[in-house]
Amino acid sequence: MNDAAIEQILAALTVDVKAFAVCEFTATSAIEIKQLDKIEVHFVLAGTLYLGFPGGERIAAPVGSVVLVPAYIDQMIGGSATPSEIFTARETCRRRRDGLMHYDATLGSRSSVVVACGQIKADIGGSFGPFEGLKGPICAHVADEPIVGVAFATILRETGVASLGSKALIGSLMKACVILALRRSAQERGARNVLPGLFERPSLARAVALIVEDPTADHSLADLARTAGMSRSKFAKVFAETVGSPPMEFVSRARLDKARRILLSTEMSISDIAHHVGFASRSHFSRSFRSEFGIDPSRMRLNGEIPGAH
């Protein structure tokens, strides 16, 4: 697959932190985690984390590792490949005074493994999660990357305080660590064996990269199909199967996501934003915006956020 297309897609990746916690284990304890509806990322801060999955697959992740676990699979994580003390998440969970969730499987003993765990939603253009097709867990040891140690420490600190910009900073650091982990794993195992869905279709990825690089351009089905080297009918079919929406619907959502970012970060008028992202009128833009985000653009700017965002 073209490296430039990968770079464009990863650059457009937005990582939204939905939950965050610290887990601690002894050399004999573990926690069972039932299926989650989001990708989970484990940052191994101390010791070696052992992960077990249905079918007998096991991973040993030493300190400095990042592990991505697909949604909707059970997992067991702990300080041993053969733990003698296994807990449920509920049995070990408590909320610390600083608001951070803490899963303590040490029973008062000194921890030998410390892990920061996050549930994330990762998407591009506000509509497509390129890792939703992840077939199995990805583990990458990235301790030699200078940013990783700083990122781990900062993520922990920022998660424990409700400071201005904490969420954005955590998301940026998680994004950096996730991309480092993906890049390292792809280098070691080959991109086609690591990156799911979209990344397995180089021709389609070129078209998606073109959209996310500049969603406001005058994209047409014919032009995008030509970029992918397919007929319009085949391109539309493959795009919908892989991305989950028709090509021009994806373009519209990418434009609306760019409009949202402009709306919240500038004082540009809503009419000018509508024109900038390719809508013929403010009324059409406002209707489409409400349909996508559940709120009028004027009210979103007033509120400064999307309803239900945490």
Side-chain angles (χ1 to χ4, degrees), residues 145 174 268:
E145 297 281 358
M174 277 193 158
M268 185 184 292

Side-chain angles (χ1 to χ4, degrees), residues 9-293:
I9 291 169
L10 292 180
L13 181 69
T14 298
V15 176
D16 189 10
V17 183
K18 296 296 184 181
F20 202 86
V22 170
C23 302
E24 295 188 70
F25 308 93
T26 66
T28 60
S29 66
I31 297 175
E32 290 181 320
I33 302 176
K34 296 302 181 182
Q35 295 182 8
L36 302 171
D37 62 357
K38 296 178 181 65
I39 296 170
E40 186 162 27
V41 182
H42 301 298
F43 301 86
V44 186
L45 307 179
T48 296
L49 178 69
Y50 293 87
L51 303 94
F53 302 95
E57 181 179 3
R58 294 188 181 279
I59 291 175
V63 62
S65 295
V66 176
V67 185
L68 282 80
V69 180
Y72 303 110
I73 66 171
D74 294 330
Q75 55 181 305
M76 181 184 296
I77 63 174
S80 170
T82 55
S84 57
E85 300 168 300
I86 301 174
F87 303 95
T88 66
R90 179 174 294 182
E91 288 175 326
T92 61
C93 180
R94 67 178 180 86
R95 188 179 295 275
R96 300 191 331 193
R97 289 182 179 179
D98 60 10
L100 189 68
M101 298 305 296
H102 185 200
Y103 292 84
D104 187 357
T106 65
L107 293 179
S109 302
R110 184 180 180 85
S111 62
S112 59
V113 181
V114 181
V115 184
C117 302
Q119 293 176 41
I120 65 171
K121 178 182 178 184
D123 62 39
I124 54 176
S127 58
F128 172 59
F131 305 129
E132 290 174 2
L134 199 63
K135 298 180 178 66
I138 293 174
C139 178
H141 188 237
V142 290
D144 57 334
E145 297 281 358
I147 192 178
V148 169
V150 175
F152 282 11
T154 305
I155 287 169
L156 278 174
R157 185 186 72 240
E158 292 294 327
T159 306
V161 296
S163 297
L164 180 66
S166 288
K167 181 179 177 183
L169 180 56
I170 290 170
S172 296
L173 291 170
M174 277 193 158
K175 173 179 175 177
C177 291
V178 166
I179 290 174
L180 284 171
L182 287 168
R183 185 172 68 184
R184 178 65 58 85
S185 192
Q187 288 170 345
E188 294 174 351
R189 297 167 51 195
R192 287 179 181 270
N193 296 320
V194 174
L195 300 172
L198 177 63
F199 298 98
E200 294 176 340
R201 297 179 179 271
S203 58
L204 186 63
R206 287 195 295 271
V208 172
L210 194 66
I211 296 169
V212 300
E213 182 181 33
D214 184 10
T216 64
D218 187 20
H219 299 294
S220 69
L221 181 61
D223 289 340
L224 293 172
R226 191 175 303 113
T227 297
M230 303 179 191
S231 68
R232 286 189 297 178
S233 58
K234 181 178 180 181
F235 172 73
K237 181 176 184 294
V238 171
F239 192 101
E241 289 175 348
T242 305
V243 177
S245 66
M248 300 316 295
E249 182 179 314
F250 181 83
V251 171
S252 178
R253 287 180 175 176
R255 287 173 176 168
L256 289 168
D257 188 64
K258 180 163 186 174
R260 178 186 63 83
R261 287 184 273 117
I262 296 172
L263 185 77
L264 295 176
S265 62
T266 75
E267 295 183 357
M268 185 184 292
S269 73
I270 292 174
S271 294
D272 285 346
I273 293 173
H275 178 73
H276 178 73
V277 299
F279 284 82
S281 68
R282 172 173 172 166
S283 59
H284 181 206
F285 169 70
S286 294
R287 287 196 302 272
S288 300
F289 197 95
R290 280 195 301 272
S291 176
E292 180 69 14
F293 299 115

